[in-house]
């Protein structure tokens, strides 16, 4: 059993009490009435998600577009899929945009963050909710929970989702075992260097929403560091009190292996480094190295006496600039692509 006599800082404790909600607080009908003339977009980045994207889009369209007029558009960003993700999403009722087509003429970037940036540029809503495309047993409350604080409280600029993430093993289910990178990398990192963010239950959650006027003022990191970079940039831009979090219940999705999680953790640390430099916490603007060395058991290239092959990955990240920093002509070219 885990015991601690320490307590959270008064600021973090007050924030978590004041700015934490539950998705069940708001019904679609209440939010549709509260939105007024506010445009609402849902953006879903997706790469090879043909198995899940259709059900997600169909649920949002049926329950939050047709039954209740809450969501004005559903945008799926096809992130270089090699399967039928784009067609499945289109048939389900989404407007599908291509990550590569919308960034044509710009430097090529890899990873989820670039797809999110494209989705923000291509969407039109005053409030934009982002939902991952690999969710199983998707429910519309994932969207309404994120929209709740933004449509009912004008002082909220950004909402982060959190949930139980079961890790399903061969013989058992670990109720909250799905947040391994959060607990082993992101949370210790944030608590050490950005302690005002310690109250976020899941800083790496892929479900969040914000006001366009705010989201367009921050950069988007190209890789897996996008969520942690976004949180740090937002707290520096609008302050902790403008951020909120909402309990979305349980999230089921595809899990990655330990080696892939290691690369994800490394990109998170690289992303945080530049923000630490901005705050004067480190002297150099870039980390000493972005190369991650990992070991794979066996294989044809196994080293003598080691029985493992070495795999080296460059976990450097790049960033798309804030959309407001683009000149109008450049932004028009991206949106019209």
């Amino acid at each position: 059993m885990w015991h601690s006599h320490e307590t959270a800082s008064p600021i973090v404790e007050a924030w978590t009490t004041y700015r934490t909600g539950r998705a069940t607080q708001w019904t679609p009908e209440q939010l549709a009435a509260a939105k007024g003339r506010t445009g609402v977009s849902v953006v879903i980045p997706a790469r090879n998600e043909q198995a899940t994207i259709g059900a997600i889009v169909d649920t949002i369209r049926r329950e939050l577009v047709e039954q209740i007029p809450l969501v004005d558009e559903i945008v799926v960003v096809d992130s270089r899929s090699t399967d039928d993700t784009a067609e499945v999403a289109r048939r389900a009722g989404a407007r599908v945009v291509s990550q590569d087509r919308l960034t044509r003429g710009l430097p090529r970037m890899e990873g989820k963050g670039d797809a999110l940036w494209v989705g923000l540029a291509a969407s039109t809503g005053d409030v934009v909710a982002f939902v991952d495309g690999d969710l199983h047993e998707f429910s519309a409350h994932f969207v309404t929970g994120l929209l709740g604080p933004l449509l009912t409280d004008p002082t909220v600029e950004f909402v982060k989702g959190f949930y139980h993430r079961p890790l399903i093993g061969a013989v058992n289910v670990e109720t909250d075992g799905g947040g391994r990178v959060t607990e082993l990398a992101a949370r210790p990192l944030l608590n050490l260097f950005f302690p005002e963010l310690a109250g976020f239950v899941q800083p790496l959650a892929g479900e969040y929403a914000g006001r366009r006027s705010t989201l367009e003022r921050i950069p988007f990191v190209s890789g897996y560091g996008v969520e942690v970079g976004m949180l740090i940039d937002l707290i520096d831009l609008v302050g902790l009190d403008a951020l909120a979090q909402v309990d979305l219940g349980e999230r089921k999705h595809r899990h990655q292996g330990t080696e892939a999680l290691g690369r994800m953790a490394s990109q998170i640390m690289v992303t945080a480094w530049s923000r630490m430099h901005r705050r004067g916490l480190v002297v150099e603007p870039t980390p000493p190295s972005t190369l991650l060395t990992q070991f794979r058991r066996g294989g044809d290239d196994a080293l003598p006496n080691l029985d493992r092959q070495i795999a080296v990955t460059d976990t450097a990240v790049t960033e798309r600039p804030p959309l407001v920093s683009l000149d109008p002509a450049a932004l028009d070219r991206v949106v019209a692509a």
Side-chain angles (χ1 to χ4, degrees):
M1 183 176 294
W2 175 66
H3 296 282
S4 175
H5 299 293
E6 301 295 331
T7 60
S9 76
I11 292 175
V12 169
E13 187 171 340
W15 178 84
T16 55
T17 301
Y18 175 58
R19 285 303 198 195
T20 300
R22 291 182 178 274
T24 52
Q25 289 179 230
W26 306 277
T27 67
E29 292 85 355
Q30 290 171 332
L31 295 179
K35 69 173 282 191
R37 300 170 65 89
T38 303
V40 175
S41 302
V42 175
V43 171
I44 309 171
R47 175 181 292 181
N48 296 331
E49 304 294 357
Q50 65 177 18
T52 53
I53 192 66
I56 295 172
V57 172
D58 183 68
T59 298
I60 299 171
R61 177 185 54 78
R62 283 188 294 104
E63 299 186 26
L64 303 180
V65 177
E66 297 174 351
Q67 295 178 13
I68 304 294
L70 175 60
V71 172
D72 298 295
E73 66 174 350
I74 307 168
V75 179
V76 169
V77 181
D78 180 22
S79 183
R80 302 168 187 150
S81 297
T82 57
D83 65 1
D84 292 330
T85 291
E87 182 57 31
V88 171
R90 195 174 287 112
R91 287 200 305 263
R95 177 163 66 90
V96 178
V97 298
S98 165
Q99 178 179 344
D100 282 339
R101 185 178 179 186
L102 265 72
T103 57
R104 187 172 51 197
L106 300 175
R108 180 183 172 91
M109 294 186 183
E110 302 292 337
K112 177 184 177 183
D114 192 38
L116 294 171
W117 187 86
V118 164
L120 180 62
S123 62
T124 61
D126 305 297
V127 169
V128 182
F130 297 95
V131 178
D132 278 348
D134 64 344
L135 304 186
H136 298 277
E137 302 178 24
F138 179 81
S139 169
H141 79 268
F142 270 69
V143 176
T144 56
L146 296 173
L147 296 177
L150 291 161
L151 295 179
T152 61
D153 186 343
T155 68
V156 174
E157 296 290 331
F158 179 83
V159 178
K160 190 80 167 178
F162 69 94
Y163 24 65
H164 294 293
R165 296 176 62 189
L167 180 61
I168 302 174
V171 296
N172 64 350
V173 176
E174 188 177 347
T175 305
D176 286 308
R180 291 167 288 173
V181 176
T182 292
E183 299 304 328
L184 298 176
R187 194 180 310 287
L189 185 69
L190 291 176
N191 276 261
L192 278 171
F193 300 108
F194 307 93
E196 63 271 42
L197 292 171
F200 280 91
V201 178
Q202 283 171 331
L204 305 184
E207 281 64 50
Y208 37 85
R211 301 191 191 279
R212 173 175 299 278
S213 57
T214 294
L215 293 172
E216 288 187 343
R217 294 164 63 196
I218 60 172
F220 280 61
V221 176
S222 61
Y224 285 115
V226 62
E227 276 88 16
V228 73
M230 188 180 295
L231 268 187
I232 298 169
D233 292 343
L234 283 168
I235 202 170
D236 287 346
L237 179 67
V238 298
L240 181 61
D241 190 56
L243 312 183
Q245 62 180 349
V246 171
D247 187 348
L248 300 179
E250 184 175 80
R251 183 188 200 267
K252 296 181 179 179
H253 65 114
R254 182 181 65 250
H255 294 285
Q256 300 194 56
T258 303
E259 187 175 305
L261 295 180
R263 294 191 292 271
M264 187 184 303
S266 184
Q267 283 200 324
I268 289 167
M269 294 178 184
V270 171
T271 301
W273 183 281
S274 62
R275 276 74 185 165
M276 291 161 63
H277 176 262
R278 188 174 67 201
R279 289 192 174 193
L281 298 173
V282 294
V283 175
E284 298 297 328
T286 57
S289 173
T290 59
L291 298 181
L292 175 66
T293 300
Q294 297 175 300
F295 297 89
R296 299 171 184 166
R297 185 181 294 274
D300 296 335
D301 297 325
L303 297 177
N305 304 319
L306 192 63
D307 192 30
R308 289 167 176 81
Q309 53 184 325
I310 293 178
V312 179
T313 305
D314 189 351
T315 58
V317 298
T318 49
E319 299 185 8
R320 291 291 185 201
L323 284 172
V324 294
S325 70
L326 297 183
D327 67 81
L331 182 57
D332 287 343
R333 287 195 298 271
V334 171
V335 174

